[in-house]
């Protein structure tokens, strides 16, 4: 791999932002499949692949889901939602499975960003997981993990703050700063 | 962003594999900083950035850590370890924090792969989290989340299986396949 390729992946990682405002333009199935493909290639413990997805475009379903979270307007206005679940029938270790779901969501967000689309990872709705399952006919074994709202960006994102590495990293043992 | 850039990020996501065998070649601080930078830019709930890292190169520390997991040989032979913790003093929601740690680890793995290096996400050691904390002088508020072993690849990875999308994805509601 050459230096441009290296820079491109790192640049995608660093320039990704949460996008909460979308135009009316829809996403076709091919685009959505690319996003889901990226999610599918995340690593998981013992390769158990515990992620499951329900793709929602139906406006009525979006309105119902939007009532379950303070971020309802984003859910209602996004042309497409990928609702992400942990399938507890295929769990092997709760903490590691949840980490792998995080890796899967991040893959999708990076793919979305690299395609010039915008997305936001919504977690506040987890408090209403049971209601979301009812709306989507999801079985009890499906535990709601996140809703990713996706579309063509209408708004410029603000640049978020990040802690500096010297607040996060230690050399060899705790206490000796990087 | 042009089509090559899109393809590059997706290609990095899809071609990343777990690498468990490494040459003796070391990683300089600049390289390690790039990897940690990628981790630092992961998203987290309320931007709480709960990840903390201890970078280990010391052979004696690696030998001690290697005794805590069945994957000891990988830990002992890797030139460098990034030990990843959740700082419970900066937690806001256990599930969402663990997801964001997964996103952070995935960013680092993608960065490692894009630089032509190899890495593996080790989770089996979590069963010995308290012992790992002692070895690394980490405070009680640090919960071990993973060890990422990193180096120059010595072995060709096998290609892992992945479930097909039609086993994972539903359209609009559960039951109607993608």
């Amino acid at each position: 791999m050459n230096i441009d390729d290296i820079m491109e992946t790192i640049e995608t990682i660093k320039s990704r932002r949460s996008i909460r405002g979308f135009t009316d333009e829809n996403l076709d199935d091919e685009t959505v499949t690319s996003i889901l493909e990226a999610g599918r290639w995340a690593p998981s413990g013992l390769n158990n692949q515990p992620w499951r997805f329900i793709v929602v475009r139906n406006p009525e379903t979006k309105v119902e889901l939007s009532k379950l979270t303070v971020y309802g307007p984003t859910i209602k206005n996004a042309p497409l939602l990928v609702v992400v679940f942990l399938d507890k029938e295929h769990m092997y270790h709760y903490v590691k499975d949840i980490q792998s779901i995080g890796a899967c969501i991040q893959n999708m967000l990076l793919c979305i960003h690299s395609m010039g689309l915008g997305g936001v990872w919504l977690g506040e709705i987890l408090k209403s997981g049971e209601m979301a399952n009812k709306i989507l006919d999801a079985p009890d074994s499906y535990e709601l993990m996140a809703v990713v709202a996706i579309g063509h960006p209408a708004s410029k994102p603000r640049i978020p703050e990040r802690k500096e590495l010297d607040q996060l990293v230690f050399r060899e043992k705790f206490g000796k700063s990087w």
Side-chain angles (χ1 to χ4, degrees), chain A:
Chain A
M1 222 172 260
N2 66 35
I3 187 72
D4 283 349
D5 294 342
I6 295 174
M7 289 313 299
E8 185 45 46
T9 297
I10 295 176
E11 187 51 37
T12 301
I13 287 171
K14 286 195 181 182
S15 60
R16 183 210 51 80
R17 302 284 177 266
S18 296
I19 303 286
R20 295 177 175 82
F22 307 102
T23 70
D24 290 340
E25 197 178 340
N26 285 317
L27 278 69
D28 60 26
D29 272 12
E30 197 189 347
T31 303
V32 181
T33 297
S34 293
I35 295 166
L36 297 166
E37 277 286 325
R40 183 169 83 95
W41 281 99
S44 55
L46 304 181
N47 195 22
N48 72 327
Q49 308 168 62
W51 39 75
R52 298 294 181 270
F53 312 98
I54 298 179
V55 177
V56 175
R57 287 192 180 101
N58 187 313
E60 284 165 36
T61 310
K62 284 192 281 182
V63 167
E64 282 187 84
L65 290 172
S66 75
K67 293 174 186 160
L68 306 182
T69 164
V70 297
Y71 299 111
T74 302
I75 286 192
K76 219 161 39 183
N77 295 330
L80 190 129
L81 310 172
V82 175
V83 186
V84 184
F85 297 89
L86 167 67
D87 185 355
K88 288 188 283 187
E89 273 188 10
H90 291 84
M91 247 172 68
Y92 103 102
H93 182 292
Y94 191 63
V95 166
K96 294 178 212 173
D97 286 343
I98 290 172
Q99 289 178 341
S100 74
I101 299 268
C104 165
I105 295 169
Q106 180 66 1
N107 272 5
M108 292 196 286
L109 291 172
L110 292 174
C111 179
I112 290 163
H113 175 51
S114 79
M115 293 194 290
L117 300 170
V120 61
W121 176 343
L122 301 169
E124 201 263 349
I125 196 170
L126 298 200
K127 71 180 195 307
S128 313
E130 283 183 30
M131 286 299 298
N133 277 38
K134 265 191 199 138
I135 292 167
L136 298 168
D137 296 341
D140 291 343
S141 69
Y142 275 37
E143 182 178 333
L144 182 65
M145 288 279 115
V147 173
V148 183
I150 311 171
H152 291 263
S155 58
K156 275 218 166 166
R158 60 191 171 74
I159 297 173
E161 300 283 323
R162 284 292 187 277
K163 293 182 202 292
E164 297 299 324
L165 281 186
D166 61 12
Q167 296 175 268
L168 301 171
V169 185
F170 301 98
R171 192 181 287 273
E172 299 299 349
K173 299 205 177 187
F174 178 83
K176 191 181 170 198
S177 68
W178 181 255

